[in-house]
Amino acid sequence: MTSKITHLHQSKSIEVKPKPPFNFDGTFCKPSNFPMPDHYYEPGTYWRSLRVNSNIYGIKINNTGRIDKPEVLISVYYKPGLINDEVFNLIINEVSFRFDLNSDYSEFTNKFHDDEIIGSSIRKLKGMRVASPYSLYEFLIVTTVLQNTVVRRSVQMMNNLFNKFGAQITFDDKQVFAFWPVEIINESSEEELRNLKVGYRAKTFKRQAQEFAEDRIDIKYLRKMNKTELRKNLLKIYGIGPATVQYLMFEQFHHFDICEYIPPWEQKIYSKLLFNQTLVDTDKILKKIKNKWGKWHMLALHYLFENLFWIKNTKKIEWLEALIEL
DNA sequence: CATCAGGGCCCTG
DNA sequence: CAGGGCCCTGAT
């Protein structure tokens, strides 16, 4: 509850050149995601907190290039003494990985530039990366608060967690929350967590924190695994089922061809977007996306999905409003 | 007022 | 492999 704010004054920057095409705003702003207090975005600039082991850094990313001539300036803000070349490089590499800056999306965007369904999404978001700014542990917090509830409550749970366990930092005139270290949850009681209105998820948080605290999850190892192994190992983690494992493999590990399951909410949206119907059987949806977009089918859905929410930001989409409750 | 579903997953039989 | 239970909250 103590709202101690850490100021980060010093910074070090580096230019990074992603492979073209690269869409800055599509990469750093995901309108379909629910609001999180850990970052701040405005067109062309993105600020967020980043926890590396027991230290917290501020990250600012500026767009200094264009879609076909990409360049970003990544600045790392730190407390005196908490940076050296090794840590700086680690942070830059990690940020590059999480936002998938080093991948080449040109084959995909060229191939489907004029596709009847995703063509307009590609033309608008060409070079948008599949990005997840979180560590694996942090991502599991997000997916857990999403489970079996409405978005409004997910937001409430997330804010309660940040207020109780998070740290606040300010840098470059922006103030954001940072995630807590695993140990804090591991040392808290389930009752303490339940007081944050997370319900039965308290148990999930405890079990997951324990698995991470005991070093039973090796992210380096997971990143090297093939899809089958990865999936099998992720499913071993408590609280991860078919829906979460798919989000993980896609957003965190950048596998673009692993759609085996369509959650009910997305089923409604894809029924409309792909068939212009209210509810189409998930098997039929799966068959169609694999048939049309092959090894890119999940990426294709992402372009379609995010573009829909970009449009929603500027104009009202009646059928979508009905599917999104406040 | 009561009931229920909501962007799943675990556990049991 | 199907189905009940789980915390809570807004909608009905």
Side-chain angles (χ1 to χ4, degrees):
Chain A
M1 288 300 173
T2 52
S3 53
K4 190 169 158 258
I5 301 172
T6 306
H7 294 259
L8 308 174
H9 297 293
Q10 303 184 36
S11 72
K12 184 177 172 180
S13 305
I14 190 170
E15 277 175 5
V16 172
K17 292 182 174 158
K19 290 192 179 71
F22 173 67
N23 184 308
F24 183 93
D25 299 289
T27 300
F28 292 101
C29 178
K30 301 290 183 184
S32 80
N33 293 3
F34 71 81
M36 290 280 285
D38 63 342
H39 72 282
Y40 192 87
Y41 160 84
E42 60 189 45
T45 315
Y46 174 86
W47 296 260
R48 76 162 296 106
S49 61
L50 182 77
R51 176 174 284 281
V52 179
N53 303 322
S54 53
N55 301 323
I56 298 170
Y57 298 87
I59 306 292
K60 178 189 182 183
I61 308 177
N62 265 320
N63 187 12
T64 51
R66 303 190 314 257
I67 302 241
D68 53 343
K69 196 172 181 303
E71 186 182 290
V72 294
L73 183 68
I74 305 179
S75 306
V76 179
Y77 289 76
Y78 51 91
K79 271 213 293 209
L82 290 186
I83 200 85
N84 57 40
D85 286 350
E86 194 188 335
V87 173
F88 183 74
N89 289 336
L90 177 89
I91 290 173
I92 299 303
N93 286 337
E94 189 60 23
V95 167
S96 300
F97 179 82
R98 292 188 190 181
F99 291 97
D100 208 17
L101 298 185
N102 298 326
S103 291
D104 188 344
Y105 285 56
S106 60
E107 188 186 341
F108 168 73
T109 54
N110 288 338
K111 192 163 181 182
F112 300 113
H113 185 268
D114 298 314
D115 185 273
E116 55 178 335
I117 296 178
I118 63 168
S120 62
S121 302
I122 287 182
R123 292 192 292 277
K124 206 156 339 148
L125 292 168
K126 193 165 80 174
M128 169 181 72
R129 299 308 203 243
V130 175
S132 171
Y134 313 112
S135 69
L136 178 58
Y137 171 70
E138 292 161 359
F139 194 82
L140 292 186
I141 304 286
V142 177
T143 55
T144 301
V145 303
L146 273 170
Q147 288 167 13
N148 198 29
T149 188
V150 290
V151 172
R152 190 196 194 91
R153 249 200 89 205
S154 300
V155 174
Q156 184 201 34
M157 287 189 262
M158 205 66 237
N159 287 335
N160 289 347
L161 286 163
F162 271 119
N163 282 322
K164 171 90 174 170
F165 299 114
Q168 290 191 71
I169 57 169
T170 59
F171 65 102
D172 195 46
D173 292 329
K174 292 287 180 285
Q175 185 172 328
V176 292
F177 270 103
F179 274 89
W180 47 90
V182 175
E183 294 74 34
I184 290 190
I185 303 294
N186 204 27
E187 290 156 12
S188 313
S189 67
E190 194 173 317
E191 194 196 341
E192 258 179 293
L193 287 162
R194 277 178 180 265
N195 289 340
L196 304 177
K197 312 285 187 195
V198 300
Y200 64 89
R201 297 171 192 79
K203 185 183 176 186
T204 309
F205 291 141
K206 288 292 295 172
R207 289 278 297 265
Q208 290 178 346
Q210 192 186 358
E211 291 186 46
F212 279 91
E214 290 172 356
D215 252 347
R216 282 155 55 192
I217 296 162
D218 185 344
I219 185 66
K220 284 199 196 86
Y221 192 48
L222 288 171
R223 282 182 185 172
K224 283 182 195 150
M225 284 180 186
N226 65 41
K227 294 181 291 192
T228 319
E229 281 295 298
L230 177 63
R231 189 184 152 84
K232 202 175 84 189
N233 279 277
L234 289 174
L235 283 170
K236 284 184 194 160
I237 301 172
Y238 187 90
I240 297 186
T244 301
V245 80
Q246 192 166 288
Y247 291 132
L248 276 169
M249 292 184 66
F250 181 61
E251 293 185 35
Q252 286 253 313
F253 296 92
H254 313 305
H255 289 287
F256 298 160
D257 58 344
I258 42 77
C259 196
E260 295 178 27
Y261 172 80
I262 311 255
W265 183 69
E266 292 177 23
Q267 181 187 5
K268 293 175 195 163
I269 291 186
Y270 294 133
S271 296
K272 176 72 181 172
L273 292 177
L274 302 178
F275 297 90
N276 198 25
Q277 290 175 32
T278 47
L279 201 63
V280 176
D281 198 70
T282 54
D283 285 339
K284 203 173 160 192
I285 296 176
L286 286 171
K287 209 172 157 190
K288 176 156 184 169
I289 63 171
K290 292 183 183 187
N291 192 32
K292 274 194 81 65
W293 303 304
K295 64 174 178 175
W296 308 105
H297 61 259
M298 194 110 191
L299 187 58
L301 290 186
H302 184 58
Y303 269 73
L304 204 55
F305 205 75
E306 289 304 325
N307 187 42
L308 177 69
F309 281 81
W310 277 104
I311 293 169
K312 177 184 157 293
N313 281 350
T314 55
K315 71 176 187 216
K316 195 165 186 167
I317 305 171
E318 293 294 342
W319 65 266
L320 185 58
E321 296 296 323
L323 298 179
I324 309 169
E325 71 303 278
L326 283 172

